[in-house]
Amino acid sequence: MNSRMRRARTLASVALLAGLVAACGKGGDTAGTDGAGAAGQNSGSAAELTRRANDTMRGTSFHSAGTTTAFADAWQESWWDPEKGLRIKTTGGDVPGEMYCKDGTSYISAQLFAATLKERGQHITVPDRLSDVFVTTESGHGCDAYFKIPDGGELQPAKDESVNGTPAQALTVSSGANSGTYLIDAADTTRPLRLDSVHDGRTSTVTYDSFGEKFTISVPSGDKVMTLPDFRKQVTGS
């Protein structure tokens, strides 16, 4: 296999993970697994809290904001509406850009896409004519995959605390040296209030708010959208 073909195939395979890497401190940004690192240690109460919190997030609009372990010196905000989809905006550092998800299709801006690949050692140059394009990929999963709490977490009573005056339970999901501690409203709402993450030596803190509020989210369309194969052809010529 020649180097161009290898590069093209690497670009394609990394792209399937690009959205999860860019996600704003959600499940994919913490343990990065399905919770296998904590398998066998999960209690029924932790599993129930995870299920209820995920049901709350999946079915309720919310906003989140904070730093991210995906990129150094970057800030990310996300807005989710079960009917309209997900929007993630990245600012700061060298990675300005946006990402959307609706009905299992992800849309990542070309510059953010390139920055995500760079984090994985894959360098590409985005032509000026494609600078405002969004690359689409089919995840095969619902958009909640970007923010759901992975299975396999453990309750951590010693880390319980109040977040902005609201008592919260600590639920930690770990995989090796990577971990994410979710502080979840201890009342019956089971809303996540904060996420503290450690991933590949980087740390981040994300807060959640505005549950149930209305947001304007419109996924890119028309000439602003390009499929991954088309984008790959434009960038690599193969």
Side-chain angles (χ1 to χ4, degrees):
M1 184 184 297
N2 63 40
S3 60
R4 175 172 285 184
M5 289 178 65
R6 284 196 300 269
R7 187 178 182 217
R9 289 193 178 185
T10 300
L11 178 59
S13 62
V14 173
L16 298 177
L17 301 174
L20 289 175
V21 176
C24 173
K26 312 300 189 301
D29 192 32
T30 55
T33 71
D34 60 0
Q41 302 176 31
N42 187 26
S43 69
S45 56
E48 178 64 12
L49 182 60
T50 299
R51 183 191 65 77
R52 292 175 63 201
N54 281 332
D55 285 348
T56 295
M57 287 192 290
R58 187 182 302 112
T60 310
S61 61
F62 66 85
H63 165 262
S64 67
T67 51
T68 172
T69 60
F71 304 105
D73 303 318
W75 180 267
Q76 288 187 325
E77 285 190 80
S78 70
W79 298 261
W80 161 251
D81 184 291
E83 301 298 324
K84 300 176 183 177
L86 174 70
R87 177 192 177 201
I88 298 173
K89 182 178 181 179
T90 304
T91 56
D94 299 321
V95 290
E98 291 184 286
M99 195 194 93
Y100 293 82
C101 181
K102 191 174 191 302
D103 299 330
T105 299
S106 298
Y107 307 76
I108 182 170
S109 63
Q111 296 296 343
L112 184 59
F113 183 75
T116 303
L117 294 175
K118 183 179 178 181
E119 285 289 314
R120 279 168 156 64
Q122 182 73 19
H123 295 263
I124 64 171
T125 299
V126 178
D128 289 343
R129 69 181 186 280
L130 302 180
S131 61
D132 60 349
V133 161
F134 284 79
V135 183
T136 64
T137 61
E138 300 292 335
S139 67
H141 302 282
C143 296
D144 63 308
Y146 290 109
F147 53 76
K148 69 180 294 186
I149 302 173
D151 293 333
E154 293 183 282
L155 295 177
Q156 301 281 341
K159 295 182 179 181
D160 290 354
E161 62 175 282
S162 292
V163 179
N164 294 325
T166 301
Q169 288 182 280
L171 175 72
T172 297
V173 183
S174 301
S175 178
N178 300 328
S179 68
T181 296
Y182 296 81
L183 287 164
I184 301 172
D185 190 340
D188 200 38
T189 60
T190 60
R191 296 173 178 174
L193 302 176
R194 196 179 79 206
L195 167 61
D196 300 323
S197 302
V198 178
H199 188 88
D200 290 342
R202 291 177 179 170
T203 61
S204 69
T205 297
V206 173
T207 57
Y208 301 83
D209 55 51
S210 304
F211 283 88
E213 295 189 9
K214 295 183 180 298
F215 306 119
T216 300
I217 302 173
S218 299
V219 300
S221 61
D223 59 1
K224 295 295 184 181
V225 173
M226 181 175 287
T227 65
L228 175 59
D230 287 343
F231 182 78
R232 182 176 66 222
K233 184 176 181 179
Q234 291 287 332
V235 172
T236 68
S238 61

